[in-house]
Amino acid sequence: EKPKYWAEFKGRLVAEQDRVSTSFNESSTPGFSVFDLMAGYSPTKNIDINFALKNMFNVNYYEHLSRPYKNLSENGMFYEPGRSFRIGVKVRF
Protein backbone atom coordinates (compact mmCIF):
# COMPACT_ATOMS: atom_id res chain seq x y z
CA GLU A 1 0.00 0.00 0.00
CA LYS A 2 1.31 3.39 -1.04
CA PRO A 3 -0.24 6.85 -0.62
CA LYS A 4 -1.63 6.89 -4.19
CA TYR A 5 -2.27 3.22 -4.96
CA TRP A 6 -2.87 -0.16 -3.38
CA ALA A 7 -3.38 -3.78 -4.42
CA GLU A 8 -4.66 -6.89 -2.69
CA PHE A 9 -4.63 -10.54 -3.71
CA LYS A 10 -6.84 -12.84 -1.67
CA GLY A 11 -7.31 -16.59 -1.82
CA ARG A 12 -9.70 -18.97 -0.14
CA LEU A 13 -8.89 -22.68 0.02
CA VAL A 14 -11.69 -24.93 1.25
CA ALA A 15 -11.25 -28.64 1.96
CA GLU A 16 -13.80 -31.31 1.16
CA GLN A 17 -16.58 -31.43 3.75
CA ASP A 18 -17.23 -35.04 4.66
CA ARG A 19 -18.66 -34.55 8.16
CA VAL A 20 -22.33 -34.74 7.20
CA SER A 21 -25.66 -35.12 8.96
CA THR A 22 -27.30 -38.48 8.34
CA SER A 23 -30.61 -37.22 9.76
CA PHE A 24 -30.73 -34.57 6.98
CA ASN A 25 -29.44 -37.02 4.39
CA GLU A 26 -26.51 -34.71 3.56
CA SER A 27 -23.80 -35.71 1.15
CA SER A 28 -20.16 -34.66 1.18
CA THR A 29 -19.14 -31.48 -0.64
CA PRO A 30 -16.01 -31.20 -2.80
CA GLY A 31 -13.29 -28.73 -1.88
CA PHE A 32 -12.54 -25.61 -3.92
CA SER A 33 -10.12 -22.68 -4.28
CA VAL A 34 -11.21 -19.14 -5.16
CA PHE A 35 -8.94 -16.13 -5.77
CA ASP A 36 -9.74 -12.41 -5.89
CA LEU A 37 -7.72 -9.39 -7.02
CA MET A 38 -8.47 -5.83 -5.92
CA ALA A 39 -6.63 -2.59 -6.65
CA GLY A 40 -7.14 1.12 -6.24
CA TYR A 41 -5.63 4.43 -7.27
CA SER A 42 -6.06 7.94 -5.84
CA PRO A 43 -5.12 10.53 -8.49
CA THR A 44 -6.05 13.34 -6.06
CA LYS A 45 -6.87 13.47 -2.35
CA ASN A 46 -10.61 13.70 -3.17
CA ILE A 47 -10.90 10.94 -5.81
CA ASP A 48 -10.43 7.18 -5.42
CA ILE A 49 -10.73 4.73 -8.31
CA ASN A 50 -10.97 1.03 -7.47
CA PHE A 51 -11.18 -2.24 -9.35
CA ALA A 52 -12.03 -5.77 -8.23
CA LEU A 53 -11.89 -9.11 -10.02
CA LYS A 54 -13.74 -11.70 -7.94
CA ASN A 55 -13.41 -15.47 -8.57
CA MET A 56 -10.77 -14.67 -11.17
CA PHE A 57 -10.50 -18.24 -12.48
CA ASN A 58 -14.29 -18.59 -12.80
CA VAL A 59 -14.48 -21.61 -10.48
CA ASN A 60 -17.86 -23.35 -10.36
CA TYR A 61 -18.44 -24.18 -6.66
CA TYR A 62 -21.00 -24.25 -3.87
CA GLU A 63 -20.76 -24.04 -0.11
CA HIS A 64 -21.56 -27.14 1.94
CA LEU A 65 -24.84 -25.80 3.34
CA SER A 66 -26.00 -24.08 0.11
CA ARG A 67 -28.96 -26.33 -0.54
CA PRO A 68 -32.67 -25.56 -0.39
CA TYR A 69 -33.75 -28.65 1.59
CA LYS A 70 -32.75 -32.19 2.45
CA ASN A 71 -32.79 -35.09 -0.01
CA LEU A 72 -31.96 -32.83 -2.94
CA SER A 73 -29.48 -33.96 -5.57
CA GLU A 74 -26.35 -32.03 -6.51
CA ASN A 75 -28.31 -30.46 -9.41
CA GLY A 76 -30.31 -28.49 -6.84
CA MET A 77 -27.32 -26.84 -5.14
CA PHE A 78 -27.06 -23.06 -5.01
CA TYR A 79 -23.81 -22.29 -6.84
CA GLU A 80 -21.80 -19.21 -5.91
CA PRO A 81 -21.28 -16.44 -8.51
CA GLY A 82 -18.70 -16.95 -11.22
CA ARG A 83 -16.12 -14.39 -12.30
CA SER A 84 -17.23 -10.79 -11.76
CA PHE A 85 -15.70 -7.36 -12.28
CA ARG A 86 -16.29 -4.17 -10.34
CA ILE A 87 -15.04 -0.68 -11.10
CA GLY A 88 -15.83 2.20 -8.77
CA VAL A 89 -15.10 5.85 -8.28
CA LYS A 90 -15.41 7.60 -4.91
CA VAL A 91 -15.48 11.40 -4.79
CA ARG A 92 -15.14 13.25 -1.46
CA PHE A 93 -16.46 16.81 -1.22
Side-chain angles (χ1 to χ4, degrees), residues 40-77:
Y41 175 65
S42 298
T44 70
K45 71 177 190 170
N46 295 332
I47 297 175
D48 293 330
I49 301 167
N50 58 64
F51 165 82
L53 174 59
K54 301 285 191 162
N55 192 358
M56 61 191 300
F57 299 115
N58 201 25
V59 175
N60 194 20
Y61 71 99
Y62 54 89
E63 300 287 347
H64 178 66
L65 296 177
S66 293
R67 62 186 86 219
Y69 56 86
K70 69 179 186 176
N71 299 330
L72 193 64
S73 71
E74 186 174 310
N75 295 333
M77 297 300 183

